[in-house]
Each structure stands twice: as C-alpha cells, then as structure tokens.
Amino acid sequence: MAIKCSLIEEMEEALEQLLKAVKEFIRMYCITFHTDFLIGSTVKADWGSKSVTTVEDNFILHIATVHRIPPYWSTKYDEYKIVCSLYYANKKIELDRMTSFKAINNTGLCDRILWDEWINFEKVILMALPRETRLCLTLYGQKSVATNTNSPANATDKLQTVLGGVTIQLYSQKEELIRGSHLVPLRMHAAADPLLPIGSVIQNDTVLMQINFPDFGCHVEFPTVMTSKISQKKSFNSLLPEIQEIIKAVMEKDCISSFIIERCQADELGILWQYRHYLYDYSNLLPWILQGQINWDFSHLSEIK
C-alpha cells in the first residue's frame, strides 16, 4: 500500500512539472508571436524588487536550443555554435563568449540544435553594467571542406558562415533587468548588430532561439539617478591660458570623423570631459564631451546627467 501511495505522489509531482512546462511554453509562444490572447490571469504576482547596485553576481545566460531549422542546413553544415557579445553602443564591454559546436538533433518531434550550456562573463558584474547594455547573439554554421592538393592527405578546412543573429536589450523600458525564459527570432543571414533597433519580426524562414536568464526571485531594477541641483557651470575664460589653448586645439578637430587621421584621440576627448563644466557655452561639443566618458554604469551617471 505504501508503494502505491509513493507512486501516486511521484506521478502527481511529474504531472505538476509537466503542467508548469506547458504553461511556460505557451507564455513564450504568446510573447514571441504577439498573440491576441494570454494564458492565465492578467494580474501579475508581486515579486518585490531590489536595486541592481546590490547584485554582485557576474552576468550569465543559458543557451538552450534553436528551432525551426531549414531542411537544407543538415546537408550544408556539419556543426553550429553561438557567439555571445555584450555591447554599450558600439563598444564591446568584454571579450566574446561562445558555445561549443553542436550538430542537429533529430530526436523528438522536430529537428533542433540542443546546447543546454551556461555562458559565463566572469569579469562582468551586473551592478557595473550600463543601463543601455545590449546582448548580441550570432549563430554560425560550420562545414568541413577538403584543402588544396598541396596539403597532407585527409586535411580539411573549417568554413564558418553567419546564419542569423539577434540583439537583446538587457533592461526593459521600465528599467527592469531581463529574466526568465525567452524565445527570440533571429534576423536571418546577418550577424547581430548592437546599433540596430530592437525588433521581433518573424518570417517564413525565421529561426527561433531559446535562451534563459537567471531569475533572482524579484525584479532587479536600475535605480533612479540622483543629480545635484547646484549649478556647476563655470566660465571658459577662468581656465589657465595654456589649458584654453589645448581645448581650442581639440575643438578644431572633427572628433566624430570616420577618418582616423582627423579623429580626436582618447586623451583629447578626456580633456574635454575633464573640463566639461567650463564648456557650457559650446553646446556643439556635447557629442565629443560624452565620448570622453568611459564608464556609463550607475555609479558614474550622476556625473553625466
């Protein structure tokens, strides 16, 4: 009798986990495909919240699977990998991380690529990430091809092709850190671009990627930036003459030019930032001044705002 009760309890637990998985799948489906219906109550649970400035964990994410694989991929590519990058504007925050190479998994109802890997940015602490940080994920396909005739027997080259990419904003419009499971559509035949607008257009050939972010059991929020109400405006003429000459020399350059010869150097942009309170009368310098600030995390925003 005790064995029978134990089996019933195990079955009830298994069914409960299955129900949770199905609900989570439907939730991701509704978000991904912008359906006109939702699952369950529209009343959100009170998760509570905490400031990201109290979170000392490093940034991690879970690469789960890729779905809706085109049939021709199985013959055109041998293996696949995903490259993960963190950007602030066009500046890379840390070196790229990547998954291992995986082949297409033919088991189950449909083909998929299964990684089930955690990507760890060991040197990137959540509390130090800028509010506008973007995560770029690019899917690559790899094919082994025979080398030229001068190479040793059976030698092959590995050719990698960009298959698609997606860019994800880490903070929502409510300034809450992304969390939980997400099914995101890739922009096909192009790598993830940190400067492109965020979108989720799904076409006939769109591949879907499932990724998971840590759930801290509450909303992690980017706090409101407090600024001083005291004006810090100073007169440019109050600077030492030699400092004025240095700044004027920098002002004559095109600090946004695409030509390296004409572009301001980092130390010159740093000078504009250092003496920014003396440049209120030169509003056209604002884009250059902002380039001189390297850190855009919460602890430095009060100096920028």
Side-chain angles (χ1 to χ4, degrees):
M1 189 69 177
I3 296 177
K4 185 177 181 180
C5 292
S6 176
L7 291 174
I8 292 176
E9 290 176 356
E10 290 181 5
M11 183 177 294
E12 288 178 345
E13 183 178 354
L15 290 174
E16 183 178 350
Q17 294 300 321
L18 177 61
L19 179 61
K20 288 182 179 179
V22 171
K23 285 185 175 180
E24 177 63 18
F25 173 76
I26 297 175
R27 184 194 67 81
M28 286 194 297
Y29 179 91
C30 293
I31 295 174
T32 304
F33 292 94
H34 305 290
T35 62
D36 57 357
F37 63 89
L38 296 173
I39 182 172
S41 173
T42 57
V43 178
K44 296 183 179 179
D46 184 12
W47 286 87
S49 62
K50 66 179 178 181
S51 170
V52 72
T53 57
T54 65
V55 181
E56 298 182 356
D57 302 60
N58 52 306
F59 178 75
I60 61 174
L61 74 148
H62 180 254
I63 304 295
T65 50
V66 162
H67 302 272
R68 297 186 73 193
I69 298 172
Y72 70 89
W73 279 16
S74 59
T75 57
K76 194 170 183 179
Y77 308 106
D78 301 323
E79 297 176 308
Y80 307 84
K81 72 173 181 179
I82 295 174
V83 175
C84 311
S85 311
L86 286 174
Y87 280 89
Y88 175 75
N90 63 340
K91 296 180 180 179
K92 190 172 290 188
I93 295 176
E94 176 59 9
L95 296 176
D96 293 343
R97 301 291 190 272
M98 63 187 68
T99 65
S100 59
F101 280 97
K102 296 290 185 179
I104 293 178
N105 189 323
N106 303 113
T107 61
L109 297 176
C110 57
D111 292 350
R112 59 178 178 162
I113 307 173
L114 173 63
W115 279 279
D116 190 20
E117 295 180 11
W118 283 96
I119 301 298
N120 190 353
F121 286 82
E122 302 90 348
K123 299 180 181 179
V124 179
I125 308 301
L126 283 175
M127 63 187 299
L129 281 176
R131 177 174 44 196
E132 294 79 13
T133 301
R134 287 184 166 189
L135 170 67
C136 292
L137 304 172
T138 301
L139 175 65
Y140 288 84
Q142 179 171 275
K143 180 72 173 180
S144 298
V145 296
T147 57
N148 57 55
T149 55
N150 296 327
S151 301
N154 301 324
T156 59
D157 285 333
K158 305 290 187 180
L159 298 182
Q160 295 185 12
T161 304
V162 173
L163 302 179
V166 61
T167 301
I168 301 169
Q169 195 81 32
L170 289 193
Y171 283 93
S172 68
Q173 293 182 346
K174 296 181 179 180
E175 300 190 344
E176 294 177 354
L177 186 66
I178 191 171
R179 61 189 179 92
S181 299
H182 295 263
L183 196 62
V184 292
L186 303 187
R187 187 169 64 96
M188 302 308 297
H189 315 297
D193 189 332
L195 299 180
L196 285 180
I198 301 296
S200 57
V201 178
I202 299 179
Q203 299 177 344
N204 292 334
D205 64 340
T206 299
V207 172
L208 300 178
M209 180 189 301
Q210 182 186 346
I211 55 177
N212 306 302
F213 296 93
D215 194 330
F216 295 94
C218 64
H219 297 293
V220 178
E221 299 177 340
F222 199 93
T224 302
V225 180
M226 305 300 293
T227 56
S228 174
K229 296 182 179 180
I230 301 175
S231 175
Q232 301 185 60
K233 181 178 180 180
K234 299 177 182 179
S235 172
F236 181 77
N237 294 327
S238 64
L239 286 170
L240 294 174
E242 53 268 30
I243 299 296
Q244 292 186 35
E245 291 301 320
I246 293 175
I247 294 178
K248 287 179 180 178
V250 176
M251 290 166 57
E252 293 176 357
K253 292 189 175 184
D254 183 359
C255 293
I256 312 179
S257 173
S258 58
F259 297 101
I260 297 178
I261 297 177
E262 301 176 4
R263 194 186 308 164
C264 286
Q265 301 301 313
D267 57 340
E268 294 175 319
L269 293 172
I271 291 173
L272 294 181
W273 173 258
Q274 181 180 355
Y275 295 102
R276 62 192 182 280
H277 298 305
Y278 297 86
L279 303 175
Y280 275 71
D281 294 330
Y282 301 91
S283 57
N284 59 309
L285 290 179
L286 181 59
W288 305 348
I289 293 173
L290 293 178
Q291 288 186 69
Q293 170 62 321
I294 299 175
N295 297 308
W296 288 78
D297 59 359
F298 174 76
S299 62
H300 292 85
L301 284 185
S302 59
E303 302 175 6
I304 301 170
K305 195 169 181 181

